[in-house]
Amino acid sequence: MSNVKGLVYLVHRIGLVQTACGTDGCTTPVFIFDVIWMVGMFFGPLVLAFVGLYVWGIRVRK
């Protein structure tokens, strides 16, 4: 959870574009991919955990 707080702090302090692209900047497609990648890295494991618990719950009930 502290990683999410750190990311939110960085975005608030220096902006989303610099957080995703760094100080060199990047093109629009690279920026979009970087934002999707960041969101996936933070919320992907959470979604996979909930899906795993759901599937496990279905198997236990049978």
Side-chain angles (χ1 to χ4, degrees):
M1 191 65 168
S2 66
N3 289 338
V4 175
K5 288 180 185 178
L7 180 64
V8 170
Y9 174 72
L10 274 177
V11 169
H12 178 68
R13 196 175 107 220
I14 63 174
L16 182 61
V17 175
Q18 279 190 330
T19 302
C21 297
T23 56
D24 294 336
C26 58
T27 61
T28 301
V30 172
F31 170 70
I32 292 170
F33 178 74
D34 285 347
V35 170
I36 291 171
W37 181 262
M38 274 194 298
V39 169
M41 289 294 110
F42 281 108
F43 295 111
L46 184 65
V47 169
L48 287 175
F50 281 123
V51 168
L53 286 172
Y54 180 74
V55 169
W56 177 75
I58 290 173
R59 286 185 171 195
V60 168
R61 285 187 209 160
K62 286 184 179 181

